[in-house]
Amino acid sequence: MRAGRPSGWLPALAVLLAVQPATAPAQQEAPKKDIVVRAPDGRTAQEARRFVRQVATAREGQLSRFAAPVCPLVVGLAPPSNAAIENRIRQVAAEASVKQGKPQCAANLLLVVAQDADAFVTATRRRLPGIFNDLPAAELSRALKSGPVHAWNSVEVQNEDGERISGATDEGVKILVVRRASRMFETTQQVVWRSVLVINAQALAGKTLTQLADYAAMRTLAGARPPERPGGPDTILTLFDDGPPPPAQMTDVDRGFLRGLYRTRPNGRAITETHTIVRSIVKQTQVPQ
């Protein structure tokens, strides 16, 4: 069942973590000598739009996001580090007005730190192929691509009121009841019901728990991808990229993106709802007068 905790997948996924726990990052925060203080840079709408186009992921012409309360779970680090990252993700979610589940809620946002991320994802696909079944080809290819980070969101189509598929015809065609028609908005919405992020333990060298948590929040809550082209605004999404040192935490651009996403209309079209995110980024990065 896709409401609340998905039954069966989490215990089975945990079995695949038959490796030694990864070593937690050495420090809770970046050492002072590594902190770079950056003044707000006042992003223009054009710059913000370019950033959104690079990192946002759309399904069937719509932006996807969590609708049910988010329940993060981190595994693979020392227990205090796992808890610290979960708490930070919750803090970021609260700042963006993302609904959250109560303590001990059913996990639907999972961060796994594995000794060998590629091997873990390969084993997951072999043992639990259903976790990948609803991914479009391009997203599946990105999720399985070798590298230090693997991320994917499971998304289902719901109607404009958040109701799920109610049945199927004798031919197996799924039925989704819609109640309104509009030229401005869709009759459906793309809802994330599970998000998984797998990171290679060796890639955490030199990274802090705050950086890891903020990166995880952007990849899971926002479904954001690291920008493909250099030269854009500072973003925590570059945490595992080669190049200049990443920021010590998520930036105002990241915060603006996440807040804007959760202010969009769930049944809006990506091409129009993007403007909401752009405005949020511009507002978040305005230089105080």
Side-chain angles (χ1 to χ4, degrees):
M1 184 174 180
R2 293 187 179 182
R5 178 186 287 267
S7 60
W9 73 272
L10 188 56
L13 196 62
V15 171
L16 298 176
L17 278 170
V19 295
Q20 293 298 315
T23 302
Q27 298 173 327
Q28 292 282 337
E29 301 295 340
K32 290 184 178 180
K33 64 183 180 63
D34 290 336
I35 295 178
V36 178
V37 179
R38 296 178 173 88
D41 55 359
R43 289 286 141 185
T44 66
Q46 183 179 6
E47 292 171 320
R49 190 173 296 107
R50 188 181 303 119
F51 175 78
V52 173
R53 286 174 177 170
Q54 284 201 63
V55 307
T57 300
R59 285 277 189 96
E60 298 182 16
Q62 291 183 295
L63 300 173
S64 59
R65 63 185 185 184
F66 279 97
V70 171
C71 299
L73 175 65
V74 181
V75 295
L77 298 174
S81 297
N82 291 337
I85 294 172
E86 290 172 10
N87 290 336
R88 173 68 176 183
I89 292 175
R90 284 184 173 275
Q91 177 186 340
V92 170
E95 291 174 354
S97 301
V98 180
K99 292 186 291 186
Q100 299 183 59
K102 298 178 180 179
Q104 307 302 317
C105 58
N108 56 6
L109 187 164
L110 180 64
L111 167 60
V112 177
V113 178
Q115 291 289 357
D116 188 332
D118 290 343
F120 177 85
V121 172
T122 298
T124 299
R125 193 183 187 197
R126 183 175 64 251
R127 297 274 296 276
L128 299 169
I131 287 182
F132 300 93
N133 278 353
D134 60 354
L135 294 183
E139 292 184 36
L140 177 61
S141 178
R142 283 196 294 265
L144 299 177
K145 184 178 179 180
S146 296
V149 178
H150 300 261
W152 65 95
N153 283 354
S154 296
V155 178
E156 73 171 6
V157 180
Q158 298 180 359
N159 71 9
E160 65 271 40
D161 295 325
E163 296 175 349
R164 302 169 58 207
I165 292 172
S166 57
T169 65
D170 293 339
E171 294 76 21
V173 178
K174 295 180 180 179
I175 299 173
L176 180 65
V177 178
V178 296
R179 295 180 172 82
R180 293 180 291 275
S182 170
R183 293 184 178 182
M184 295 183 62
F185 306 109
E186 300 287 351
T187 56
T188 60
Q189 55 180 303
Q190 304 289 321
V191 176
V192 177
W193 60 276
R194 175 177 61 205
S195 185
V196 181
L197 180 65
V198 181
I199 299 178
N200 209 64
Q202 287 70 32
L204 299 184
K207 310 295 191 297
T208 70
L209 296 181
T210 296
Q211 287 177 314
L212 181 56
D214 287 2
Y215 177 87
M218 286 294 290
R219 295 302 307 267
T220 56
L221 297 174
R225 308 188 306 270
E228 296 179 355
R229 293 186 292 275
D234 285 338
T235 170
I236 196 64
L237 292 169
T238 63
L239 183 62
F240 297 101
D241 292 356
D242 296 328
Q249 59 183 353
M250 68 189 315
T251 67
D252 282 340
V253 171
D254 297 323
R255 290 186 175 90
F257 182 97
L258 187 57
R259 288 176 178 177
L261 175 64
Y262 280 85
R263 283 165 172 76
T264 58
R265 297 178 180 85
N267 64 326
R269 297 174 179 137
I271 194 170
T272 54
E273 296 306 316
T274 293
H275 297 306
T276 300
I277 303 177
V278 169
R279 289 194 297 269
S280 178
I281 292 174
V282 171
K283 181 179 179 180
Q284 185 73 32
T285 59
Q286 286 298 309
V287 179
Q289 299 299 319

